[in-house]
Amino acid sequence: MEILIPWLTTFIIQELTNLSQIENYQVDVNKIIICSSSMVVCALFALFCGIMGARYASVASCGFARNLREDMYLNMQSFSFANIDRYSTASLITRITTDVTNVQNAYQMCIRMLVRAPVMFIAAIIMTSVLEPRMTAIFVLASIILGVIIFICLFKVVPHFKMMFKKYDKLNSVVQEDLTAIRVVKSYVREDREIFKMQNATAEVYKYSVKAEKILTFMTPCVNLVMSATIVVILLIGSNMVTGNIGGAVKPENIQALIFYAMQILNGVIMVAMCLNFISLSKGSMDRICEVLSEKTTLPEPQNPVKEISDGTVEFENVSFSYSDKAEKSVLKNINLKIFSGETVGIIGATGSGKTSLVSLIPRLYDASEGEVKVGGRNVKEYDLETLRNKVAMVLQKNVLFTGTVAENLRWGDEHATEEEMRFAARQACAEEFIDALPNGYGYDLGQGGVNVSGGQKQRLCIARAMLKKPHVIIFDDSTSAVDTKTDSSIREALKKYAPQTTKIIIAQRIASVMEADRIIVLDEGGVSGIGSHEELLETNSIYRDVYLSQMKGDEE
């Protein structure tokens, strides 16, 4: 429609020109009315198409962004711990928010402009050739010059955008770390240090943003120069053609149309440039999104997964493990263990001895680098992952609660748990008393991350949540460190009484937490240093004896 309007204008100008040049010439009013009405119809139809195009482009781009975020999030949910270790939390958040928004904007721009601009360009060239073929070369040459300028600018700007997104990751990491640890920051009065880190991070983003924008800003005056120069050339050559000084004469009304078409041709080139600008801006985002989408879990599901676990027997057969294939030293080396169903086993060792790494192999948070880990007599790789993790509960070192009520957090263990079942699990974890004392009891809102309860209370809620799963194996990874010794003892007694068939594996720093276990495993530098009861290890294992003496010396005295 926009291509037709300048062409219709030529008929009106022709009538008015004839009126001024030809004596006693009668203007064809009907012709002017028809042309004017046609221009109005074209303009209205163009407006309608523009509005609908913008509407559907918005719907399409928003839907595209939604689908992209959903696919990224679904793939993230399939990640193993090994996959997650490759990315920082801040980087994943940036990718699923800022990067997707950048790609969404580029997509919206492209589906509108990359269809419109080529059609406008080709149609305007055709109309120019029809009206005055000798002018076509001017438009083509101007378009080539404009295209070269734009290409050079975009070629130089892409590396700066890529660096800018990397700095965005760092910026988000600083913000996330600072807000997560805000209580520590304030208690140590380190606000100035965090402000300094934030200033450095924003300065880095600013630096690369300015470098990119300077190049893009340079592009605008160059484009305006080429457009203005093209119009000047058309007027110079066209005026000489009208007067007959160059070649054959040309109609004055065609010069007006040619100027319109020149603007449309060059606008088409500019539209393409804008699209390329958005694409270059989002190219780094696209690459980062594709990394997440193409990331494959390191824990593939078996073809015919086993969906039933017979009991809580746990075996390690010649197991070695390292977090990376490139690691020079294994975290665990040649582990051979068998833990019987219903047995209570303590694991003790120095920091970095591999305690958490060992138990992480049981629910298949990681896969062993060598050897086999078995639960219920079968390799954990044979089980359906959901089945395995439902029957192997793990209370992690870092106790994580979610925004919501006490009941909502407990039902992470069993979403269909009744109030009586929740109370029973809370009683086992010695959490019932403090829950009943909370306003609204099980309906009490814990706040984000459980900020409204103490560390010990948070640990007991996590234990109760794990007990609700009714697992065959339950692992406590130093998960009673924030409770007093009396409560710790009560929790162990409750587990022994109410879950006799459940295998209980307790990682602890305190000897008192494991000394009553059926067996105690002592780890040292990734290997098993000793296995036995408390009394046996006191006699046979120097590491255990040293830890015991250092912790119990005051009590003995």
Side-chain angles (χ1 to χ4, degrees):
M1 294 299 103
E2 290 180 8
I3 289 294
L4 288 176
I5 290 172
W7 178 67
L8 292 170
T9 306
T10 60
F11 293 104
I12 297 174
I13 295 174
Q14 185 179 26
E15 284 297 313
L16 298 176
T17 304
N18 290 339
L19 179 64
S20 61
Q21 292 180 350
I22 301 173
E23 209 173 311
N24 300 322
Y25 181 79
Q26 297 294 318
V27 174
D28 189 344
V29 177
N30 289 332
K31 185 177 181 181
I32 292 179
I33 291 173
I34 291 170
C35 290
S36 301
S37 301
S38 300
M39 290 172 65
V40 171
V41 170
C42 287
L44 291 174
F45 189 56
L47 176 63
F48 171 76
C49 292
I51 292 171
M52 297 305 292
R55 180 183 184 277
Y56 283 114
S58 298
V59 171
S61 60
C62 291
F64 172 68
R66 179 198 62 198
N67 294 339
L68 199 54
R69 288 192 174 100
E70 285 180 359
D71 285 349
M72 290 176 71
Y73 191 74
L74 286 173
N75 202 40
M76 287 178 198
Q77 293 302 306
S78 73
F79 284 0
S80 67
F81 279 26
N83 295 116
I84 294 169
D85 290 343
R86 288 190 56 197
Y87 305 94
S88 68
T89 304
S91 177
L92 289 175
I93 291 171
T94 304
R95 291 167 197 245
I96 208 169
T97 53
T98 305
D99 286 338
V100 171
T101 300
N102 289 334
V103 175
Q104 175 187 349
N105 291 336
Y107 178 69
Q108 182 178 10
M109 179 66 73
C110 289
I111 58 176
R112 291 184 65 191
M113 297 302 182
L114 284 185
V115 174
R116 172 189 171 87
V119 172
M120 290 280 288
F121 181 87
I122 293 168
I125 288 288
I126 291 171
M127 293 301 294
T128 302
S129 302
V130 171
L131 291 174
E132 185 51 58
R134 290 171 293 179
M135 290 286 193
T136 306
I138 299 172
F139 298 145
V140 173
L141 180 61
S143 300
I144 293 171
I145 294 171
L146 202 54
V148 170
I149 292 171
I150 292 167
F151 176 79
I152 292 171
C153 290
L154 295 179
F155 180 77
K156 289 182 174 293
V157 85
V158 169
H160 296 307
F161 278 133
K162 286 185 176 180
M163 284 302 299
M164 185 179 74
F165 288 123
K166 288 183 179 179
K167 300 305 177 183
Y168 263 127
D169 280 352
K170 185 178 178 182
L171 174 64
N172 285 342
S173 179
V174 170
V175 173
Q176 181 195 23
E177 186 178 56
D178 182 54
L179 294 178
T180 304
I182 191 68
R183 287 171 173 78
V184 178
V185 173
K186 290 188 175 297
S187 63
Y188 280 87
V189 198
R190 298 305 300 271
E191 290 91 345
D192 289 344
R193 176 179 176 274
E194 294 304 307
I195 290 170
F196 179 73
K197 282 169 58 180
M198 183 67 177
Q199 287 173 338
N200 284 341
T202 52
E204 288 290 307
V205 174
Y206 168 79
K207 181 174 75 173
Y208 287 101
S209 298
V210 167
K211 285 182 178 180
E213 292 300 332
K214 279 183 178 177
I215 296 170
L216 293 177
T217 304
F218 173 76
M219 189 166 66
T220 303
C222 289
V223 168
N224 290 335
L225 177 64
V226 172
M227 291 183 69
S228 300
T230 303
I231 292 170
V232 169
V233 170
I234 290 171
L235 289 172
L236 286 173
I237 295 175
S239 60
N240 281 285
M241 283 182 171
V242 169
T243 56
N245 294 333
I246 300 178
V250 64
K251 297 177 180 178
E253 59 268 23
N254 288 353
I255 298 297
Q256 178 71 24
L258 289 173
I259 292 173
F260 275 117
Y261 289 132
M263 298 297 293
Q264 288 176 334
I265 289 169
L266 297 180
N267 277 330
V269 176
I270 292 169
M271 287 180 192
V272 173
M274 288 173 64
C275 291
L276 294 176
N277 178 28
F278 273 95
I279 292 171
S280 64
L281 173 63
S282 62
K283 178 63 170 66
S285 295
M286 292 178 195
D287 292 339
R288 287 151 54 84
I289 290 168
C290 286
E291 280 182 15
V292 175
L293 289 173
S294 61
E295 182 80 13
K296 301 297 182 185
T297 179
T298 59
L299 304 177
E301 288 274 5
Q303 288 186 346
N304 298 302
V306 177
K307 297 196 175 183
E308 192 67 41
I309 299 177
S310 58
D311 58 38
T313 304
V314 178
E315 297 175 71
F316 292 85
E317 294 182 359
N318 302 314
V319 170
S320 296
F321 172 71
S322 59
Y323 285 100
S324 170
D325 295 335
K326 300 177 182 178
E328 296 179 2
K329 187 178 179 181
S330 295
V331 178
L332 299 172
K333 293 167 284 188
N334 198 33
I335 302 291
N336 286 281
L337 288 172
K338 184 167 184 178
I339 302 171
F340 298 99
S341 184
E343 191 175 14
T344 299
V345 173
I347 301 178
I348 200 161
T351 302
S353 59
K355 303 186 295 296
T356 299
S357 301
L358 180 72
V359 297
S360 295
L361 301 179
I362 300 172
R364 222 184 153 200
L365 300 179
Y366 294 95
D367 271 341
S369 304
E370 297 176 17
E372 286 189 344
V373 180
K374 296 181 179 179
V375 173
R378 305 191 71 139
N379 193 318
V380 292
K381 294 180 181 179
E382 297 177 22
Y383 287 112
D384 171 67
L385 204 56
E386 185 176 343
T387 300
L388 176 66
R389 290 180 180 170
N390 274 331
K391 291 302 179 183
V392 181
M394 192 168 182
V395 186
L396 300 168
Q397 264 178 319
K398 186 178 179 182
N399 300 285
V400 177
L401 296 174
F402 297 88
T403 302
T405 63
V406 171
E408 288 170 345
N409 273 273
L410 292 179
R411 284 196 172 106
W412 273 69
D414 179 2
E415 60 181 321
H416 304 296
T418 63
E419 185 175 346
E420 184 54 40
E421 287 174 323
M422 287 193 292
R423 286 186 176 278
F424 180 70
R427 202 175 302 129
Q428 288 179 279
C430 298
E432 188 177 39
E433 185 179 346
F434 88 79
I435 293 174
D436 287 337
L438 294 171
N440 299 324
Y442 286 84
Y444 178 69
D445 194 335
L446 294 172
Q448 187 175 15
V451 295
N452 296 332
V453 291
S454 68
Q457 291 171 335
K458 198 182 289 187
Q459 284 190 337
R460 282 178 276 171
L461 286 173
C462 290
I463 293 169
R465 181 174 64 188
M467 292 306 300
L468 267 176
K469 295 181 78 170
K470 301 178 183 65
H472 288 335
V473 180
I474 185 165
I475 301 165
F476 299 96
D477 188 359
D478 201 19
S479 52
T480 57
S481 57
V483 300
D484 58 82
T485 53
K486 181 181 177 182
T487 304
D488 186 11
S489 178
S490 299
I491 292 170
R492 283 185 278 111
E493 285 298 321
L495 290 171
K496 187 182 295 184
K497 181 179 179 181
Y498 294 110
Q501 300 304 314
T502 301
T503 303
K504 296 164 280 290
I505 300 173
I506 304 168
I507 295 176
Q509 300 295 336
R510 296 189 304 213
I511 290 284
S513 297
V514 298
M515 60 190 299
E516 294 180 11
D518 299 320
R519 284 188 296 161
I520 301 168
I521 300 166
V522 181
L523 290 182
D524 182 39
E525 295 184 356
V528 176
S529 172
I531 304 176
S533 65
H534 170 66
E535 291 76 14
E536 290 170 345
L537 289 173
L538 278 177
E539 292 181 7
T540 61
N541 190 275
S542 59
I543 296 174
Y544 186 83
R545 187 167 53 249
D546 290 342
V547 174
Y548 173 80
L549 292 173
S550 66
Q551 292 185 7
M552 299 299 181
K553 187 175 181 182
D555 292 342
E556 291 288 334
E557 290 176 354

